[in-house]
Amino acid sequence: MLPGARAASAETTHPAATEADAEKHRPAEVPPPTRGFLAKATLVTAVLSIAGALLGLGRDQALAHLFGAGTETDAFLVAWTVPEVAATLLIEDGMAFVLVPAFSLAVARRARGTGGGDPVRALVASTLPRIALALVGVSALLIAGAPYLVAGLAPGLPDPALAVDCTRLTATCVLSFGLAGYCSAALRAHRRFLAPAAIYVAYNTGIITAMFVLGGHWGVRSAAIGVALGGCLMVAAQAPSLVRQLFGRRRSATATAVPEMAPAEAAAGTRKASDTEGPAAEQPAQQFAQRPAQQLAEQPPKQSVTHSVNLALVTPVLLFALCRQSQVLIERYLASNLPSGAISHLNYAQKVAQIPMTLSLMLCTVTFPVLAQALAEGDTERARNRVEHDVSVAACIVLLGAAAVFACAPQIIELLFQRGAFTAQDTAATATVMRVYSVGLLGHTLVGALVRTYFSAGRPTWYPLAAMTAGIVATSWIGAATVDAWGVSGIAAANAVGITLTAALLLSGMNERRSVPIHTRRVVHELSKPLRAAGCAAVAGALCASRFEPPALALLTGGLTVTVVYVLLLRLLGVQAVAPAFRTALRSVTRRLPHARSR
């Protein structure tokens, strides 16, 4: 199947069809991709994301090895707040929630051949200069105000001057991350996933290289230089692909590379486009036959996509992303008054603990343009099925990772970081914090998966911000109440409680007025099954891992125990979400990955 290919005319495909039937079968938008395409795109995204995550671990290992967990790393990690917030606002959440639906609409209109020029180029010409100018202004403001920013983020920091220097270097990433996020949104809307998935490989490569090359002379400032370099590499990794999409030879929607249909899918019935419609275009005959005729009608051509990115839409998205990222700011503010190294322990624990969450959201990243398209076409049923399936699969994946992190936290930290300036005491403190963080991983994943549905329809909504604000208030109050007694563990517990509260509010607010009207009770019931399985698996894995002294053997035994117990319990509880996705992915890897081209 070639999602994105225009349908052949009804007269060509069905000679006996009436004119009314021709209109009935003519799609108004780019057709949704097949399950095989989504599996392949998810596989490519996951592989490159894993590579980026491994390089991220290498980056943290290099930071721990070269500079330990003390005053220097605390100063750098305060400056690290800037790229963390920028990544959330400009790459992962904020800008993507606005631009992916906008570019999806532009790509669909270009596929229909609406008049008035290329809608995609018009959208770029309207938005990119203004966004770039705003990013330059924010970068300059952060560089000038770095001393005040450091004083506000970590008033108890022993060496604020070093943190100011690092902050001024990392502030340049606001511009580079913004351009990288813009490129990622545009390419994903074109169903190009290779270049966007590779950006963190380029980013972490730049940081690691800078630390080893410049660390001897510049100290921890070399890591901040690496952030600036890595941001430039993120843009360079995507710019050629985006330029080809915008200014290459004229492409129809068939140019959005997609997999071939499986024989079973072909047997279900397809329509082939005529030779004049492009290269070997195929579409399922049943995809559009069941849609109401009014949903297939041409949208008003004057409803310009250049106005789909407006202040009313952007403001709640960016405020939500900023509010979500403020959890990190709260943590570092509270930890700045604890003994030296507390911020570093929180950082290392969080980076490792969130790897399962990042991997679990790969499918949601790939299906975000599909969800936006379904909502734009008014296909609520397809959107509901997409959301429920994505939430179920993401929860199953992240809970397996959370159980493994809880069971084997000491062994993971020892193997990854305990060398050089990173001591056994640092390992024990970081492992304890990481176990607490693992309790909130399901909440983080649900927030990441559900919030896309609120912003996919392209209409302003403030409910996600309200839900996130409630979670931030809970994080602040609980953290302030527990930090004196529990230290960094109390801060991590506050994070877990706050994000879980936000996830519960987002799940309960899923209705037709705000988002996608999912079957909330059924979803909650299904989520309880892997949650129970993960709890049992974590306890069993921890008991097995504690019986072995060598960390590698303990990790292997504990991880294997967690996996076996978790999978068996999923089968006993009747969880079916992961098996179909796994079978589809397995079939997909045996075929060519045409969408993995960088063009």
Side-chain angles (χ1 to χ4, degrees):
M1 171 183 175
L2 292 177
R6 286 182 294 177
S9 66
E11 291 80 8
T12 301
T13 308
H14 303 290
T18 65
E19 186 173 341
D21 290 332
E23 181 65 26
K24 181 179 177 181
H25 289 284
R26 185 179 296 116
E29 301 288 347
V30 178
T34 61
R35 181 183 295 177
F37 170 78
L38 293 177
K40 292 179 183 181
T42 304
L43 178 63
V44 169
T45 304
V47 168
L48 287 173
S49 297
I50 290 172
L54 291 176
L55 283 172
L57 282 177
R59 173 202 67 207
D60 293 339
Q61 286 177 317
L63 185 68
H65 177 74
L66 295 172
F67 310 112
T71 302
E72 275 195 314
T73 52
D74 283 356
F76 168 71
L77 291 173
V78 171
W80 180 261
T81 303
V82 175
E84 282 185 320
V85 173
T88 300
L89 289 175
L90 304 175
I91 300 177
E92 297 164 6
D93 291 343
M95 188 173 291
F97 292 154
V98 175
L99 290 178
V100 168
F103 272 107
S104 297
L105 175 60
V107 169
R109 290 184 175 176
R110 182 172 65 181
R112 294 198 306 270
T114 55
D118 188 336
V120 178
R121 294 184 189 179
L123 179 61
V124 172
S126 173
T127 57
L128 183 56
R130 291 182 293 173
I131 289 175
L133 183 62
L135 294 172
V136 170
V138 173
S139 295
L141 185 62
L142 289 175
I143 291 172
Y148 305 101
L149 180 63
V150 169
L153 291 176
L157 203 63
D159 190 0
L162 178 59
V164 169
D165 291 343
C166 292
T167 300
R168 284 175 169 155
L169 289 167
T170 59
T172 60
C173 76
V174 172
L175 175 60
S176 58
F177 280 21
L179 296 177
Y182 192 95
C183 294
S184 295
L187 289 172
R188 284 171 178 154
H190 283 84
R191 296 178 188 169
R192 302 287 178 173
F193 297 97
L194 179 61
I199 58 176
Y200 286 108
V201 174
Y203 175 62
N204 289 318
T205 298
I207 297 176
I208 293 171
T209 302
M211 281 195 291
F212 280 104
V213 173
L214 304 175
H217 180 70
W218 291 94
V220 80
R221 291 178 180 86
S222 62
I225 295 173
V227 170
L229 173 62
C232 296
L233 292 177
M234 294 170 88
V235 179
Q238 300 180 96
S241 179
L242 182 58
V243 168
R244 282 192 290 268
Q245 291 298 318
L246 295 177
F247 304 107
R249 62 183 178 84
R250 180 70 178 176
R251 298 170 183 267
S252 69
T254 56
T256 55
V258 292
E260 298 176 0
M261 288 189 65
E265 293 171 318
T270 61
R271 295 188 293 148
K272 292 190 176 181
S274 63
D275 293 338
T276 61
E277 287 295 320
E282 295 179 311
Q283 296 189 54
Q286 299 176 355
Q287 272 193 81
F288 305 101
Q290 298 176 352
R291 298 188 187 178
Q294 62 268 26
Q295 290 183 11
L296 301 180
E298 193 74 38
Q299 296 184 17
K302 294 302 181 182
Q303 187 185 352
S304 173
V305 294
T306 61
H307 298 298
S308 60
V309 181
N310 54 61
L311 186 62
L313 180 62
V314 171
T315 301
V317 174
L318 293 183
L319 288 178
F320 167 82
L322 184 61
C323 187
R324 182 179 182 184
Q325 191 60 34
S326 66
Q327 279 195 315
V328 177
L329 307 183
I330 293 169
E331 289 182 358
R332 289 179 182 166
Y333 180 88
L334 295 173
S336 66
N337 295 307
L338 294 176
S340 178
I343 296 177
S344 299
H345 297 150
L346 285 168
N347 173 75
Y348 294 133
Q350 189 178 68
K351 291 294 187 299
V352 177
Q354 287 188 348
I355 290 177
M357 178 201 72
T358 302
L359 296 179
S360 68
L361 288 175
M362 288 301 99
L363 177 62
C364 299
T365 300
V366 170
T367 59
F368 185 29
V370 181
L371 177 63
Q373 177 192 334
L375 290 175
E377 296 175 11
D379 195 343
T380 306
E381 185 63 28
R382 178 156 59 96
R384 177 191 296 116
N385 293 336
R386 181 77 268 161
V387 172
E388 292 181 356
H389 176 267
D390 289 353
V391 167
S392 182
V393 172
C396 288
I397 294 173
V398 76
L399 286 171
L400 173 60
V405 165
F406 185 92
C408 306
Q411 294 79 17
I412 294 173
I413 297 300
E414 182 176 353
L415 288 171
L416 290 178
F417 299 116
Q418 190 173 316
R419 57 184 62 86
F422 199 91
T423 65
Q425 289 76 17
D426 293 324
T427 295
T430 304
T432 300
V433 175
M434 193 165 75
R435 277 180 164 163
V436 179
Y437 269 136
S438 68
V439 178
L441 286 181
L442 177 60
H444 280 286
T445 297
L446 291 178
V447 169
L450 294 175
V451 75
R452 288 169 166 82
T453 67
Y454 286 90
F455 296 127
S456 291
R459 60 176 181 265
T461 175
W462 294 91
Y463 183 78
L465 177 61
M468 194 69 244
T469 301
I472 290 299
V473 171
T475 299
S476 303
W477 289 356
I478 295 173
T482 59
V483 64
D484 291 335
W486 296 352
V488 289
S489 296
I491 297 174
N495 179 300
V497 173
I499 199 65
T500 302
L501 174 61
T502 299
L505 292 174
L506 289 177
L507 189 59
S508 64
M510 298 283 288
N511 56 46
E512 190 170 0
R513 183 171 60 89
R514 298 192 187 107
S515 179
V516 178
I518 65 172
H519 303 100
T520 305
R521 290 186 179 181
R522 186 173 69 186
V523 170
V524 171
H525 176 69
E526 290 300 316
L527 288 177
S528 69
K529 296 178 182 179
L531 185 60
R532 285 175 281 165
C536 296
V539 173
L543 290 175
C544 291
S546 65
R547 295 181 178 274
F548 297 92
E549 186 66 26
L553 181 59
L555 177 59
L556 178 62
T557 304
L560 184 61
T561 301
V562 167
T563 303
V564 171
V565 172
Y566 185 72
V567 171
L568 288 177
L569 287 177
L570 288 186
R571 294 294 299 271
L572 290 174
L573 293 171
V575 177
Q576 303 294 332
V578 180
F582 176 77
R583 288 195 296 269
T584 302
L586 189 62
R587 287 196 302 267
S588 299
V589 298
T590 63
R591 304 178 195 150
R592 180 173 172 262
L593 299 178
H595 69 280
R597 295 175 295 168
S598 62
R599 292 187 297 147

